[in-house]
Amino acid sequence: MLKLENIKKVYNAGKVNEFTALEGVNLEVEDGEMIALIGKSGAGKSTLLHVMACIDSYEDGRYFIDDTLIKDFSEKKLAEIRNKKIGIVMQDFALIEDFSVIENVLLPLNLSLEKKNNKKELAKEALKKVDMHSMLNKPVKFLSGGQKQRVAIARAIVNDPSVIFADEPTGALDTENSAEIIKLFSMLNELGKTIIIVTHDPEVAKSCKRIVEVSDGKINS
């Protein structure tokens, strides 16, 4: 379970351009939920996701992942949590273009502190789940946008995380590919993964089981 209590996030604290991105945010996400974070541009959706995904810190409040308080951890400890518990999918895919499909999916396994002898098998299994196993040796730069996002999802799930965060995962895709990507997230959710999606797309939001609106750095509903 993820639990945020009165989370406050400030950028450029103490400077003339100080900006409070999150203020008094309270949110609980049960295991196995599929949630859409919606709101206008600049509302704080992506900041909230970054805090929850342990990409960014916070100034005040408390954030728990499975009863572990995430606060003042070293970057090494945060990286360990991200590698074990969290999968992240970005709008721009964040793949290494000159690497092959399987090389991109292997990256989290190669960065893991846990020694695994079956890395390629795990990568191939993740690619099967997103229907990209037939292209495992193809350079990413030759893939379509929809195919790249499938590879990004495979990379996010290869370490079997309990939570998957996606920041505008369909923002760079056409309607058909967007629908396919959301089907993939729904399938992963049915397999027990907790899914949290930042989106502007009302169709994507409708596909989620709960919608949380963020406005001016606060939770509206």
Side-chain angles (χ1 to χ4, degrees), residues 91-153:
Q91 178 179 343
D92 62 359
F93 320 126
L95 300 171
I96 300 176
E97 292 281 308
D98 289 328
F99 278 22
S100 69
V101 165
I102 196 166
E103 285 172 334
N104 270 278
V105 178
L106 280 167
L107 284 171
L109 296 171
N110 291 333
L111 292 171
S112 176
L113 296 177
E114 295 182 24
K115 301 300 180 184
K116 297 179 180 179
N117 297 321
N118 60 336
K119 291 179 182 179
K120 281 197 173 181
E121 288 73 21
L122 291 171
K124 288 177 181 178
E125 187 61 33
L127 286 165
K128 283 182 181 178
K129 288 180 180 176
V130 300
D131 198 24
M132 285 294 293
H133 55 288
S134 64
M135 298 187 182
L136 56 90
N137 292 315
K138 191 168 186 176
V140 162
K141 61 186 174 184
F142 296 127
L143 300 179
S144 68
Q147 290 170 334
K148 288 180 180 180
Q149 197 59 293
R150 287 173 178 271
V151 175
I153 292 171

Side-chain angles (χ1 to χ4, degrees), residues 169-193:
T170 63
L173 305 179
D174 59 28
T175 302
E176 183 178 351
N177 277 304
S178 294
E180 290 300 315
I181 293 303
I182 292 307
K183 282 182 183 178
L184 273 176
F185 281 121
S186 296
M187 178 270 289
L188 292 168
N189 181 240
E190 289 172 4
L191 292 174
K193 303 297 182 187

Side-chain angles (χ1 to χ4, degrees), residues 4 9 11 19-23 25 27 35-53 55-56 90-91 165-169 196-202 205 211-221:
L4 299 100
K9 173 63 188 174
Y11 289 109
F19 173 66
T20 300
L22 299 174
E23 180 73 73
V25 170
L27 180 65
I35 292 177
L37 295 179
I38 66 168
K40 295 179 180 178
S41 180
K45 307 182 301 299
S46 292
T47 299
L48 177 56
L49 182 142
H50 289 171
V51 169
M52 295 173 74
I55 296 171
D56 215 343
M90 310 300 287
Q91 178 179 343
F165 294 95
D167 195 354
E168 297 285 359
I196 300 171
I197 302 175
V198 165
T199 185
H200 283 100
D201 189 334
I211 297 174
V212 175
E213 184 180 2
V214 184
S215 177
D216 296 325
K218 299 178 181 179
I219 300 293
N220 271 359
S221 59

Side-chain angles (χ1 to χ4, degrees), residues 30-35 84-85 129 156-164 184-196 209:
E30 299 289 343
D31 293 342
E33 281 201 88
M34 184 168 174
I35 292 177
K84 286 184 175 181
K85 292 180 175 288
K129 288 180 180 176
I157 66 174
V158 72
N159 266 337
D160 194 27
S162 54
V163 187
I164 299 170
L184 273 176
F185 281 121
S186 296
M187 178 270 289
L188 292 168
N189 181 240
E190 289 172 4
L191 292 174
K193 303 297 182 187
T194 303
I195 311 288
I196 300 171
K209 297 172 182 175

Side-chain angles (χ1 to χ4, degrees), residues 12 16 29 40 69 81 86 108 147 151 155 161 168 195 198:
N12 303 315
V16 293
V29 181
K40 295 179 180 178
L69 177 61
I81 291 170
I86 292 169
Q147 290 170 334
V151 175
R155 183 186 56 189
E168 297 285 359
I195 311 288
V198 165

